Amino acid sequence: MEQTIPLTYYLLVSAILFVMGALGVLVRRNPLIIFMSIELMLNAANLAFVAFARSFGVLTGQIFVFFVMTVAAAEVAVGLALIVIIFRTRHNIDVDQMNSLKG
């Protein structure tokens, strides 16, 4: 006897993860924590894509997940490079004190 988890449970977990990520972006001041929160929101969206794809028996959800993971990897590479450069020039990475990208 096969039991399947209802789509609602996946969407509920996805919504909880997305809200946690959004709160992390809005509340925290450390750019590394902000990046991790953004990754959490992207993974919440990926979970919803996969849940819908599995529920409806289509492959497009997995294709969107692959695209989102690619964009997230590029975003992290560029973001971490910017953080390293800002830390080298200012010796501080507090986002409240970053008001320009001039060196």
Side-chain angles (χ1 to χ4, degrees):
M1 184 167 125
E2 181 180 326
Q3 293 183 349
T4 61
I5 300 173
L7 177 64
T8 310
Y9 292 171
Y10 289 111
L11 295 179
L12 182 65
V13 171
S14 175
I16 290 170
L17 289 175
F18 191 86
V19 168
M20 288 173 55
L23 287 176
V25 168
L26 293 174
V27 172
R28 300 303 297 256
R29 299 289 92 195
N30 188 337
L32 295 175
I33 302 296
I34 292 172
F35 273 134
M36 288 192 304
S37 298
I38 291 171
E39 292 294 324
L40 190 62
M41 289 191 299
L42 291 174
N43 284 327
N46 285 342
L47 178 62
F49 281 138
V50 170
F52 279 120
R54 183 174 180 264
S55 176
F56 295 121
V58 293
L59 193 61
T60 55
Q62 283 88 354
I63 293 170
F64 275 118
V65 167
F66 182 71
F67 180 72
V68 168
M69 288 174 66
T70 304
V71 170
E75 172 250 335
V76 167
V78 172
L80 288 178
L82 286 173
I83 289 172
V84 167
I85 294 297
I86 290 170
F87 182 75
R88 282 185 183 172
T89 57
R90 297 184 181 195
H91 303 289
N92 189 0
I93 56 171
D94 189 12
V95 293
D96 288 333
Q97 297 176 358
M98 292 184 217
N99 53 10
S100 74
L101 291 177
K102 285 185 177 180

